[in-house]
Amino acid sequence: MNIVDWAVQTIDRLGGIGVALLIALENVFPPIPSEVILPLAGVSAASDGGGAPAFVAMLLWSLVGSMIGAWLLYGLGRALGRDRLRRIVIRLPLVHVDDFDRSVAWFDRHGGKGIFFGRMVPGVRSLVSIPAGIYQMPLLRFSLLTVAGSAIWNTIFISAGYLMGSNWHAIEPWTNIISNVVYVVIAVLLVVWVVRLVLRDRARRAAGLEDPDAEHLAALEREEHGGREEHGGREEHGGREENGGREEHGERGDRR
């Protein structure tokens, strides 16, 4: 059974709840494409004969699924956190703390647009929730932007399925083309970014310059070393107190 057949059976059995479940899964497992699920939701709404109310119900259920999936990824990003990610960046090759700080500044200025428009980009629409959590975008603002962007995307594809009915497959080749083009563009941008990082690092080494993160790394190691020493000191102090207590107890017993 392929994904389309599984999606059809899920929607047939569960209706709007099935749509919400599938869209939530699509957010955390991108190989399940919303470009397939949403038209099927429109087809289901049209075949039920419920007219506009059935269409609206499917749209609302799809938004419920979008929000559930987005909140899950937002929570993962929030759990990782800005400070923890900054510590990871310090230890990574090629990227530097300054790069991370610039990304924070960019998100502070343009994060809202990134979340809104990102919800309408295949391959990105799910992942944009993670940086929103990492950079601690307020949950209410994140939710409103996610609902707004998802409403546009979901309405387009549910409408296509609703209007075309069983002929919705006619739009599938076009959605595949658009998705593939987006994936290729993303892959090219990632390759260009990595190449630029490698060239920058080679230029730095050729110029005999030290690692820009050397001081940050040294400070991080001192902090971690100090934490280990403090933890070890507490254990040693606790051990001495425990041994002293045992000796004192033994002395009392001897006196008796």
Side-chain angles (χ1 to χ4, degrees):
M1 180 185 299
N2 58 33
I3 290 178
V4 174
D5 292 337
W6 176 63
V8 169
Q9 291 186 10
T10 301
I11 294 174
D12 286 344
R13 292 176 182 174
L14 302 177
I17 295 177
V19 172
L21 174 63
L22 291 170
I23 293 298
L25 289 175
E26 178 262 338
N27 274 264
V28 298
F29 190 64
I32 300 177
S34 64
E35 300 93 320
V36 171
I37 298 169
L38 293 172
L40 289 173
V43 173
S44 177
S47 62
D48 287 344
F55 174 89
V56 172
M58 281 299 183
L59 176 60
L60 292 177
W61 277 115
S62 73
L63 291 177
V64 169
S66 296
M67 291 308 304
I68 291 174
W71 281 332
L72 286 174
L73 294 180
Y74 175 90
L76 289 176
R78 195 80 184 222
L80 176 59
R82 183 184 302 188
D83 294 339
R84 187 175 288 109
L85 180 59
R86 195 173 192 272
R87 290 171 176 265
I88 294 173
V89 169
I90 291 175
R91 298 184 180 279
L92 289 177
L94 301 180
V95 293
H96 306 308
V97 170
D98 288 343
D99 299 324
F100 176 77
D101 291 341
R102 282 194 293 270
S103 73
V104 173
W106 184 92
F107 197 87
D108 287 341
R109 293 194 304 270
H110 307 292
K113 294 189 288 289
I115 297 300
F116 175 74
F117 290 108
R119 294 300 304 181
M120 294 175 271
V121 179
V124 174
R125 59 189 311 273
S126 303
L127 300 178
V128 293
S129 302
I130 298 177
I134 291 174
Y135 297 127
Q136 300 176 358
M137 174 180 283
L139 181 59
L140 178 59
R141 183 171 183 239
F142 168 75
S143 300
L144 292 175
L145 290 168
T146 299
V147 166
S150 298
I152 296 173
W153 178 265
N154 294 7
T155 299
I156 291 173
F157 284 96
I158 292 177
S159 297
Y162 185 84
L163 295 174
M164 299 184 71
S166 59
N167 296 321
W168 72 272
H169 289 284
I171 68 171
E172 192 173 4
W174 294 101
T175 59
N176 289 337
I177 291 173
I178 294 172
S179 297
N180 290 335
V181 169
V182 171
Y183 296 149
V184 169
V185 170
I186 293 173
V188 169
L189 290 176
L190 285 175
V191 170
V192 170
W193 179 63
V194 172
V195 169
R196 290 182 63 182
L197 292 179
V198 171
L199 293 177
R200 182 182 68 176
D201 190 65
R202 287 183 177 179
R204 176 185 64 80
R205 293 176 183 273
L209 301 175
E210 68 174 6
D211 187 344
D213 290 343
E215 292 184 5
H216 297 290
L217 182 59
L220 182 60
E221 289 178 345
R222 286 195 301 269
E223 180 183 339
E224 292 178 349
H225 183 67
R228 287 195 296 269
E229 287 186 342
E230 182 180 355
H231 181 69
R234 288 176 179 173
E235 289 183 346
E236 183 179 353
H237 180 69
R240 286 199 300 267
E241 287 186 344
E242 183 178 353
N243 291 332
R246 289 174 180 172
E247 291 176 357
E248 183 180 354
H249 181 71
E251 291 176 355
R252 290 176 180 174
D254 292 340
R255 286 196 294 269
R256 289 178 187 154

